[in-house]
Amino acid sequence: MKERLSLRIHGIVQGVGFRPFVHKLVRNYGLHGYIRNCSSGVEMELEGEREKLEELLRALPEKAPSLALIQDMEHSFSRELQGFESFEIMRSSREELNNTLVSPDICICDDCLRELRDRSDRRYGYPFINCTNCGPRFTIIKDLPYDRAKTSMDVFPMCPDCEREYGDIENRRYHAQPDCCDKCGPRVFYLDGEGKELWGDGIQLARERLKKGGIVAVKGLGGIHLACRWDDERLVRELRRRKQRDEKPFALMCRDVECARKLCLVSPAEEKLLESCQRPIVLLRKKEPGLEYLSENGYLGLMLPYTPLHYLLMGEDIPMLVMTSANLSDTPIMYKNSEALRDLRGIADGFLLHDREIQTRCDDSLCWELEGKEYFARRSRGYVPYPLTMRRELKSILACGAEQKASFCLSRGNYIFQSQHIGDLKNMETLENYRQQTEHFKKLFDIEPEAAACDMHPDYLSTAFAESLGIPLIKVQHHHAHMCSCMADNSLEGEVIGLAWDGTGLGLDGTAWGGECLIGGYGGFERFGHILPLAMPGGDRAVKEIDRLAFSLLEASGLDGSQIAGAGIYRKMLETGLNCPLSSGMGRLFDGAAALLGIRSQCSYEGQGAVLLEAAAAQEEEGLYPYRLEGRPLVFDWREMIRAMVRELEEGQGAGLVAARFMNTLVDMAAETAEAARRETGLDRVCLSGGSFQNMYIMRRLPERLRARGFRVYRHRRVSCNDEGLALGQLMIADARLRS
Ligand code: ZN
Ligand code: ZN
Ligand code: FE
């Protein structure tokens, strides 16, 4: 008996080969009807045997093309037949197309990789091979609707062969906008260190230069990398010197997972993440200590090749390469040929460039694997601009984020579009890029925000930017935003217990906060608890010169800090309170502890002390230190802990053991704090947010501990826990305020 199926699919199903996929599937099941794009996805009407229609419903989500993202399917059956005699793809109107979501850039697919390596294929060895299932998207799109004329492929008219594939619904390249071949598409070329183009196969020339120990600039998807051999310490140190990047870890690109295993422990879940089509940099534990010249902590960031160009560059003879963003200390990643040739003079020994323009910068994403999924340190290429879908409609808001790990969010209906990683706004070029990207996103997603949200901090450049917009502005407390970011990340409503731990954020009382337990929701919050504020002799200088914090910890705990260089001056500052602000930042406590443990007395980047303390910690240690938790707000008094730490160090205990016990104490304190909050409020949902939760030692223990006590624990899943995720929380709070 024949029936009619009406089906609506919401999600990213346009411009990703979804309709041709449905066309094939429908034909296999012998069904008739039509499909067309609609504002939130696609809709179709199909007629055929009920059994076949149900099979199709099951097959759709399972077999959908890799770029498609099915968020929701609504369907209904009816006996009223229209009598369709064929299956048609109906044309959509312009207006419908304008609501299209944009796909992120996706790594080369298996089919294209096979063709790339197949001598008989017409695209053999062609570094820009792509199809509907793979290739560049976000980084080449200038405007919507998504078609070639509105991408940086507009200057490459298709040859007849490509045109034929593009128009053939049976072909994998049907309506693949960036489709091309070596007759009609972009080309690569190699220039020497002086910027002179060399004759010959660009990729081979680059390979030769790399093998001989050169530093080569390689243009990728969202920007330009600097690549060099990973196994030559002198060379890597030379790269650091030229790039003025003192100590931050470098990422490596590995030919395959087997190569990654030579340096790191790779679990099956991590392997899956490495091989996922988003191809993030995955932070993996080193197999054994060492390779400090690549990364000074216990992790190495590894990624697999993601463009055909990368696959051609690497090989048996080049199994791994250092791949670091080409930029000069804190400027945005370079993305233009002219810029690279001008600014990398003296840094790169050669340039492997191409003539397909990058429209939008997009850095590599960076994450750990946690419970089988990404846990982001940086959500960027491969993920942006996939929207976060909320369960309810939101006002249209531009949330401007923080300052150092800047990123913004724009909302429309149920969607929140979060920008790629933008960087530290204190840099002029970064600020300019940030401004341009807000315009780009507004245009791309057709959003004119009715209000803006920003941090309360008057000096953040994102705050100044928000103030300049001339629309209603809602200022949000930093840690309230962290907590709400985690809530929104997990689609929570109502009230929660929020642990917001980070380096610093401006508090309501004008001091720096960052070791907070808040209670509340999007509508407001109460400061339930915090860590005992620590004096920072010299203010911001103590963020880098962390032995100042060690001094402060010692003196506050009734111990003598005289052995620390500069003690006399610091003591004066403590006594007079002059240039000695208070901070309840968890990051500062970590930094001070790192200095106490002798791990480090100076930092070259924010959070370095905490990262190294984590790396030093003994893994199997269960012990912890005494501490006090009292008062209202509930204050974590760490002085007993500091005294115990110093005693153990004096008794000759290793820094690794003391570091582990220090973090175990914090885990215990967090659980006790949550317990106290539950007693008072009856709430049992705990949200973990803020940069300190990038500490994987804590992240592998605290959630478990809280769950064992009957809490429901929420941590970040879709956005970063650090300040990059701040805009999401700001947006939700602004939305709540606009409604009240
Ligand atoms: Zn492909
Ligand atoms: Zn062609
Ligand atoms: Fe923060």
Side-chain angles (χ1 to χ4, degrees):
M1 171 103 175
K2 279 195 174 178
E3 288 194 33
R4 181 157 65 103
L5 169 68
S6 306
L7 177 64
R8 232 170 207 281
I9 302 178
H10 307 279
I12 300 186
V13 284
Q14 301 178 17
V16 292
F18 197 78
R19 287 173 302 164
F21 149 74
V22 169
H23 180 256
K24 263 184 219 161
L25 206 59
V26 160
R27 217 184 28 194
N28 290 348
Y29 292 119
L31 305 170
H32 293 152
Y34 67 84
I35 182 172
R36 68 173 171 211
N37 285 337
C38 66
S39 60
S40 61
V42 293
E43 54 190 21
M44 49 182 121
E45 294 287 328
L46 294 170
E47 290 178 1
E49 297 299 327
R50 170 82 183 224
E51 201 181 304
K52 293 287 171 197
L53 291 168
E54 285 181 350
E55 271 179 48
L56 176 95
L57 276 179
R58 279 193 298 275
L60 272 171
E62 275 170 31
K63 296 184 179 164
S66 53
L67 288 189
L69 180 77
I70 296 180
Q71 285 169 330
D72 204 10
M73 298 202 334
E74 291 170 54
H75 73 273
S76 61
F77 286 102
S78 107
R79 297 255 159 100
E80 281 167 45
L81 301 183
Q82 304 262 327
F84 296 120
E85 286 174 354
S86 62
F87 182 76
E88 266 180 77
I89 295 181
M90 306 236 294
R91 289 196 72 84
S92 11
S93 71
R94 243 192 131 63
E95 184 197 330
E96 283 159 352
L97 279 170
N98 253 336
N99 268 318
T100 306
L101 299 176
V102 174
S103 163
D105 306 276
I106 294 297
C107 82
I108 181 171
C109 72
D110 292 343
D111 292 326
C112 285
L113 191 56
R114 199 173 317 115
E115 290 171 355
L116 182 74
R117 290 167 168 168
D118 174 2
R119 279 177 191 282
S120 67
D121 192 274
R122 74 184 188 90
R123 289 188 182 82
Y124 170 68
Y126 181 58
F128 301 95
I129 184 169
N130 68 81
C131 72
T132 352
N133 301 321
C134 73
R137 295 287 188 280
F138 174 60
T139 55
I140 60 165
I141 292 179
K142 296 176 190 172
D143 197 3
L144 288 179
Y146 173 53
D147 67 43
R148 193 180 184 99
K150 293 190 171 167
T151 71
S152 48
M153 288 298 291
D154 59 345
V155 295
F156 302 103
M158 277 186 199
C159 70
D161 286 336
C162 287
E163 190 99 51
R164 207 171 306 120
E165 294 168 332
Y166 180 87
D168 174 10
I169 191 151
E170 299 293 320
N171 197 286
R172 207 172 83 243
R173 296 194 167 86
Y174 174 71
H175 282 197
Q177 305 301 345
D179 182 28
C180 57
C181 68
D182 66 346
K183 285 196 195 68
C184 65
R187 59 176 209 98
V188 284
F189 43 90
Y190 180 82
L191 305 95
D192 66 14
E194 301 301 308
K196 197 173 97 235
E197 187 173 342
L198 300 190
W199 189 249
D201 179 337
I203 293 172
Q204 284 316 318
L205 290 165
R207 286 171 57 82
E208 289 314 314
R209 195 71 191 87
L210 284 167
K211 282 198 275 185
K212 280 191 207 127
I215 294 170
V216 177
V218 179
K219 186 167 173 182
L221 216 40
I224 295 169
H225 285 113
L226 286 168
C228 75
R229 291 179 70 124
W230 70 280
D231 53 354
D232 181 345
E233 181 169 346
R234 274 223 337 247
L235 177 64
V236 177
R237 292 204 188 276
E238 173 62 14
L239 172 61
R240 284 191 186 280
R241 194 190 61 76
R242 291 192 198 172
K243 228 192 126 180
Q244 298 159 38
R245 182 180 176 113
D246 21 36
E247 292 177 308
K248 280 191 196 169
F250 280 146
L252 301 184
M253 186 176 273
C254 304
R255 199 183 59 207
D256 52 31
V257 176
E258 283 325 300
C259 286
R261 285 218 166 82
K262 292 200 177 104
L263 303 182
C264 292
L265 302 167
V266 187
S267 71
E270 287 166 335
E271 175 170 353
K272 237 176 97 187
L273 207 51
L274 281 169
E275 288 183 331
S276 70
C277 61
Q278 289 86 2
R279 293 286 155 95
I281 299 172
V282 184
L283 290 156
L284 299 165
R285 281 208 85 83
K286 287 179 188 167
K287 223 165 153 180
E288 50 204 61
L291 303 175
E292 262 89 24
Y293 64 97
L294 295 170
S295 158
E296 57 176 5
N297 64 59
Y299 292 90
L300 266 181
L302 303 186
M303 63 179 150
L304 299 188
Y306 49 90
T307 67
L309 179 64
H310 293 147
Y311 273 100
L312 296 169
L313 191 64
M314 310 201 65
E316 289 297 320
D317 51 346
I318 305 184
M320 284 187 266
L321 284 172
V322 167
M323 274 278 189
T324 178
S325 307
N327 60 354
L328 302 171
S329 44
D330 291 333
T331 57
I333 185 170
M334 290 179 197
Y335 71 129
K336 288 194 169 128
N337 293 354
S338 55
E339 180 183 35
L341 289 169
R342 184 189 67 214
D343 296 340
L344 293 176
R345 192 60 77 84
I347 294 177
D349 302 315
F351 298 85
L352 181 60
L353 302 177
H354 58 72
D355 55 0
R356 186 179 74 200
E357 267 192 52
I358 297 173
Q359 277 303 314
T360 301
R361 290 184 176 97
C362 202
D363 287 83
D364 296 318
S365 292
L366 182 64
C367 63
W368 292 267
E369 178 274 321
L370 192 60
E371 293 168 338
K373 288 270 191 309
E374 301 87 351
Y375 185 62
F376 290 107
R378 181 161 79 211
R379 178 184 179 272
S380 211
R381 178 189 48 76
Y383 301 93
V384 173
Y386 261 172
L388 307 175
T389 315
M390 296 292 140
R391 296 217 177 110
R392 58 184 167 89
E393 293 228 341
L394 301 162
K395 303 265 183 195
S396 282
I397 298 163
L398 169 61
C400 297
E403 180 169 85
Q404 282 199 4
K405 293 188 156 87
S407 159
F408 58 85
C409 280
L410 269 165
S411 50
R412 183 189 75 202
N414 291 40
Y415 289 130
I416 298 180
F417 299 93
Q418 189 183 3
S419 77
Q420 68 274 41
H421 158 88
I422 293 180
D424 186 348
L425 300 182
K426 281 205 209 77
N427 180 280
M428 281 273 288
E429 282 175 61
T430 311
L431 184 62
E432 179 52 24
N433 184 37
Y434 170 88
R435 208 189 51 72
Q436 283 171 7
Q437 287 305 309
T438 58
E439 287 307 316
H440 185 54
F441 269 66
K442 272 157 69 175
K443 186 168 112 183
L444 211 51
F445 300 111
D446 195 21
I447 302 175
E448 201 41 68
E450 57 178 283
C454 68
D455 198 271
M456 270 176 30
H457 202 303
D459 301 338
Y460 279 6
L461 289 165
S462 50
T463 302
F465 169 76
E467 283 168 343
S468 74
L469 293 170
I471 50 177
L473 178 61
I474 293 140
K475 295 193 176 180
V476 178
Q477 199 280 322
H478 192 93
H479 303 95
H480 185 209
H482 272 309
M483 177 180 88
C484 292
S485 172
C486 185
M487 287 179 68
D489 198 338
N490 290 280
S491 301
L492 302 184
E493 298 284 342
E495 301 221 308
V496 300
I497 301 168
L499 293 175
W501 290 4
D502 65 1
T504 188
L506 183 60
L508 293 179
D509 59 4
T511 69
W513 290 6
E516 309 305 309
C517 175
L518 309 181
I519 286 171
Y522 304 128
F525 75 99
E526 185 203 330
R527 193 184 193 197
F528 180 80
H530 59 84
I531 71 173
L532 182 69
L534 172 66
M536 305 205 301
D540 276 349
R541 283 189 69 177
V543 174
K544 293 211 163 155
E545 296 169 20
I546 59 176
D547 51 353
R548 291 167 182 255
L549 297 171
F551 175 81
S552 185
L553 285 173
L554 287 171
E555 296 278 312
S557 307
L559 301 170
D560 183 13
S562 298
Q563 77 280 11
I564 291 173
I569 308 162
Y570 306 156
R571 189 167 293 125
K572 203 117 298 122
M573 288 175 168
L574 281 182
E575 279 163 12
T576 59
L578 225 62
N579 194 14
C580 203
L582 292 175
S583 165
S584 64
M586 186 58 83
R588 299 294 86 81
L589 185 61
F590 264 93
D591 284 343
L596 266 188
L597 292 177
I599 291 172
R600 194 87 203 186
S601 60
Q602 311 264 322
C603 288
S604 65
Y605 57 92
E606 221 232 313
Q608 191 180 18
V611 166
L612 294 178
L613 185 142
E614 182 193 344
Q619 287 301 307
E620 307 298 330
E621 177 55 33
E622 295 295 332
L624 53 96
Y625 297 118
Y627 64 90
R628 278 166 190 276
L629 203 54
E630 55 198 7
R632 189 67 208 270
L634 192 68
V635 173
F636 165 59
D637 183 338
W638 33 258
R639 289 177 296 185
E640 257 186 86
M641 173 182 77
I642 297 296
R643 288 193 287 270
M645 286 167 68
V646 171
R647 200 179 319 120
E648 287 203 334
L649 289 169
E650 282 169 359
E651 286 165 11
Q653 293 285 15
L657 182 108
V658 178
R661 290 183 173 174
F662 165 75
M663 290 190 285
N664 293 345
T665 310
L666 297 179
V667 168
D668 195 70
M669 175 277 280
E672 289 300 331
T673 303
E675 195 76 72
R678 178 166 61 181
R679 265 199 307 275
E680 192 146 321
T681 61
L683 300 170
D684 72 344
R685 296 184 298 179
V686 180
C687 287
L688 307 178
S689 189
S692 297
F693 290 111
Q694 290 188 111
N695 182 313
M696 297 311 282
Y697 183 97
I698 288 180
M699 281 315 289
R700 296 200 195 275
R701 285 168 179 79
L702 180 56
E704 203 181 309
R705 172 73 76 85
L706 288 166
R707 278 185 208 116
R709 291 189 176 209
F711 287 102
R712 286 179 283 169
V713 184
Y714 301 90
R715 43 113 182 142
H716 283 279
R717 294 175 177 278
R718 299 182 287 178
V719 303
S720 306
C721 67
N722 60 40
D723 279 6
E724 188 182 282
L726 208 68
L728 175 60
Q730 293 173 344
L731 193 144
M732 298 303 288
I733 293 164
D735 177 73
R737 219 158 300 166
L738 289 174
R739 279 163 207 284
S740 67

